[in-house]
Amino acid sequence: MTLPDPNRDTRPRLLILGGTAEARALAQALAARGDYEVSLSLAGRTRNPLGLPAPTRSGGFGGTEGLAAHLKAERIDALIDATHPFAAVISRNAAEAARIAGVPLLALVRPAWTRRPGDVWTEAADIPEAVARLGAAPRRVLVALGRNEVRALEAAPQHHYLVRSIDPVAPPLAVPHARYIEARGPFAEADERALLEEHRIDAVLSKNSGGAATYGKLEAARALGIEVIMVARPARPEVETVESVEAAVAWLQGLGLPKSAA
Ligand code: NAP
């Protein structure tokens, strides 16, 4: 008979799908509590992700089946999808994989931004529509999209683009007027205002990501009366969803998880 390993970690095992400030904050809160064995998963897109408070794996799982196999192999007791509101594929995969593996799933999604008095917003269903809504006449546009999304700008080469991303856009866009800034938020309103003024920006292209870190550009645009072309969030799978780290911790506690089976 094999005796149980006295050093084996018997805490319930959680997997957090991350790549967001919320995922990091949740991992931090759970690490401080110490009652769960937490691991994080990143897609591996950002070259130098910020330091993380839990053991982290990086790279895709190989679709729904791959994620379901990972949940089973790692004996995950609960899955938390804390990916970005625009990361639609992994969220769909998480919903299906959790069902296949029989693992409870929670989505932690930050609230969307809502229009405030003074905002000049034009809504777009997706990025190509947002680019089209810039119109035919040349404009000076601050582009706050991911570097994997900016190729859509090539459909409207008449505009002057100021493209801000965490990692460089490579190769550069096939448009005649583009400048690039590499920067990682948070961005303060005063700095955003200075940026919009310095580059004489007359439109901001933004996804409705929500959260405080990148809200400054919207406040600055409001103050300067600049139009924001706002890309709506993609559809999400129907899973139990909370908007805060505290609510996610409460959900976990409510699961009354048994010790992870060996
Ligand atoms: P996506 O389109 O939903 O996912 C594409 C593929 O990337 C998935 O099918 C999966 O590959 C892999 N993947 C995504 N997130 C993963 C994770 N946390 N761990 C392991 N694999 C993951 O995702 P995306 O929009 O490219 O975003 C990628 C990552 O960047 C996400 O972690 C997201 O939270 C973060 N992020 C995204 C945005 C955004 O605007 N989209 C903004 C900030 C941060 P397999 O199918 O092979 O498993």
Side-chain angles (χ1 to χ4, degrees):
M1 189 180 96
T2 315
L3 290 172
D5 175 358
N7 296 320
R8 187 174 58 81
D9 194 333
T10 55
R11 296 173 297 171
R13 295 185 150 192
L14 310 182
L15 176 63
I16 303 174
L17 301 175
T20 59
E22 288 73 20
R24 198 176 317 116
L26 177 62
Q28 201 131 36
L30 294 171
R33 294 174 55 93
D35 43 4
Y36 299 98
E37 188 185 351
V38 181
S39 58
L40 262 164
S41 175
L42 299 181
R45 300 273 200 287
T46 304
R47 287 185 186 169
N48 296 302
L50 296 176
L52 293 159
T56 302
R57 64 166 299 287
S58 184
F61 296 96
T64 300
E65 296 298 329
L67 178 52
H70 180 90
L71 296 175
K72 288 180 193 162
E74 295 296 320
R75 305 192 309 275
I76 299 298
D77 294 304
L79 176 63
I80 300 182
D81 173 11
T83 57
H84 191 271
F86 278 80
V89 178
I90 187 72
S91 291
R92 265 201 317 275
N93 290 357
E96 185 59 12
R99 195 190 59 72
I100 293 169
V103 170
L105 168 67
L106 180 74
L108 168 57
V109 187
R110 63 179 88 143
W113 293 315
T114 53
R115 199 190 295 251
R116 302 259 176 95
D119 280 333
V120 187
W121 282 13
T122 299
E123 309 267 353
D126 54 26
I127 291 171
E129 184 183 319
V131 173
R133 285 191 183 275
L134 289 169
R139 301 183 73 177
R140 300 182 61 86
V141 188
L142 172 66
V143 180
L145 302 175
R147 68 183 165 124
N148 299 315
E149 299 158 328
V150 294
R151 298 278 146 212
L153 301 172
E154 292 176 348
Q158 70 275 31
H159 305 300
H160 285 68
Y161 294 113
L162 180 62
V163 180
R164 180 168 67 193
S165 57
I166 295 178
D167 290 316
V169 174
L173 298 174
V175 297
H177 311 292
R179 294 181 67 176
Y180 302 90
I181 309 176
E182 283 158 44
R184 191 198 299 261
F187 301 107
E189 178 189 354
D191 297 335
E192 296 292 66
R193 198 170 163 150
L195 183 78
L196 296 180
E197 287 179 322
E198 180 193 340
H199 293 274
R200 293 177 290 117
I201 297 297
D202 60 34
V204 174
L205 191 46
S206 172
K207 295 185 293 187
N208 195 334
S209 297
T214 57
Y215 191 63
K217 62 178 177 285
L218 303 182
E219 293 175 297
R222 181 186 307 139
L224 297 171
I226 292 174
E227 181 184 10
V228 175
I229 317 281
M230 185 64 81
V231 182
R233 293 179 170 192
R236 295 188 56 82
E238 287 192 11
V239 304
E240 192 168 351
T241 301
V242 295
E243 294 185 338
S244 71
V245 166
E246 297 70 31
V249 173
W251 177 83
L252 280 167
Q253 288 177 298
L255 286 181
L257 283 174
K259 302 283 184 209
S260 185

